């Protein structure tokens, strides 16, 4: 009888170890890809919700027939420019300094709940909100101070909207500037 050294066993164990490592790497890669796809979907939902709030605000301004007076509390839905800024001396914009609780208390909410379907069922997201700021009045002509009645022109507003996705971890903020002639 020939003496056996067990080389086939060692080779097959090494091949099994390599195959196991390849399988584990493939599982990790697919798990990471699934998480990335879920995060991308979450951000897309947040973007769409924020877009809804932005369009709500723009529609509201477009439907106005008389110019509202802006104030520092937004009580008539129009804020004075930068009245929401807690610290005017820092370079940070107010919308970066305000948290979800401030938006919930001061932002104007979209009228209905926003839902979307997932494999787990229907999910309702946090209602997106918006703020409208008065920016400035720009006259139609360059002649200033000639008398003859009120000047005509456009009022410019900045709309800032904030929305979240399926989780409150994904937040999107959008801004637009619009003009309205009264």
């Amino acid at each position: 009888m020939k003496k056996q050294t067990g080389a086939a066993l060692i080779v097959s164990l090494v091949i099994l170890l390599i195959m196991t490592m390849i399988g584990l790497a493939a599982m990790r890669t697919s798990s990471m890809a699934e998480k990335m796809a879920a995060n991308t979907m979450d951000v897309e939902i947040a973007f769409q919700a924020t877009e809804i709030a932005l369009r709500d605000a723009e529609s509201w301004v477009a439907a106005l027939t008389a110019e509202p007076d802006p104030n520092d509390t937004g009580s008539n839905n129009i804020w004075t420019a930068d009245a929401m800024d807690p610290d005017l001396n820092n370079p940070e914009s107010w919308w970066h300094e305000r948290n979800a609780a401030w938006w919930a208390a001061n932002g104007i909410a979209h009228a209905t709940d926003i839902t979307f379907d997932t494999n787990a069922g229907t999910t309702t997201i946090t209602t997106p909100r918006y703020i409208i700021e008065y920016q400035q009045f720009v006259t139609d002509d360059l002649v200033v101070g000639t008398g003859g009645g009120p000047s005509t022109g456009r009022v410019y507003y900045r709309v800032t909207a904030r929305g979240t996705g399926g989780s409150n971890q994904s937040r999107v903020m959008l801004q637009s500037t619009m003009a309205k002639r009264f």
Side-chain angles (χ1 to χ4, degrees):
M1 246 180 137
K2 241 181 162 184
K3 189 175 176 187
Q4 295 186 4
T5 59
L9 179 62
I10 292 173
V11 169
S12 63
L13 287 176
V14 168
I15 291 173
L16 184 61
L17 178 66
I18 291 170
M19 296 294 284
T20 303
M21 292 179 79
I22 290 172
L24 289 173
M27 284 175 39
R28 250 185 277 143
T29 301
S30 66
S31 175
M32 182 63 73
E34 186 177 339
K35 288 178 184 177
M36 290 173 18
N39 287 340
T40 301
M41 184 181 84
D42 203 26
V43 169
E44 184 63 30
I45 291 168
F47 181 82
Q48 295 298 328
T50 308
E51 185 78 17
I52 289 170
L54 192 71
R55 298 297 169 234
D56 281 351
E58 290 173 345
S59 296
W60 186 83
V61 170
L64 291 174
T65 56
E67 182 180 355
D69 291 325
N71 59 48
D72 290 345
T73 62
S75 60
N76 60 353
N77 296 345
I78 305 287
W79 291 71
T80 306
D82 293 321
M84 300 72 73
D85 198 340
D87 184 5
L88 291 172
N89 296 324
N90 69 359
E92 194 74 28
S93 300
W94 69 266
W95 51 87
H96 293 295
E97 297 178 312
R98 296 302 188 169
N99 60 17
W102 185 89
W103 276 94
N106 296 288
I108 300 167
H110 178 64
T112 59
D113 287 341
I114 298 174
T115 60
F116 62 96
D117 293 329
T118 65
N119 292 337
T122 302
T123 303
T124 302
I125 64 170
T126 303
T127 305
R129 297 179 178 274
Y130 63 86
I131 295 288
I132 303 170
E133 291 176 85
Y134 171 87
Q135 292 295 296
Q136 66 179 346
F137 174 77
V138 177
T139 61
D140 287 334
D141 56 23
L142 298 176
V143 180
V144 178
T146 59
S151 63
T152 59
R154 293 182 180 98
V155 178
Y156 284 83
Y157 297 99
R158 176 173 52 203
V159 179
T160 305
R162 181 185 190 274
T164 60
S167 71
N168 287 332
Q169 298 301 319
S170 62
R171 295 177 297 273
V172 172
M173 297 190 89
L174 294 175
Q175 285 187 328
S176 69
T177 301
M178 63 180 299
K180 172 75 175 176
R181 184 182 301 277
F182 292 100

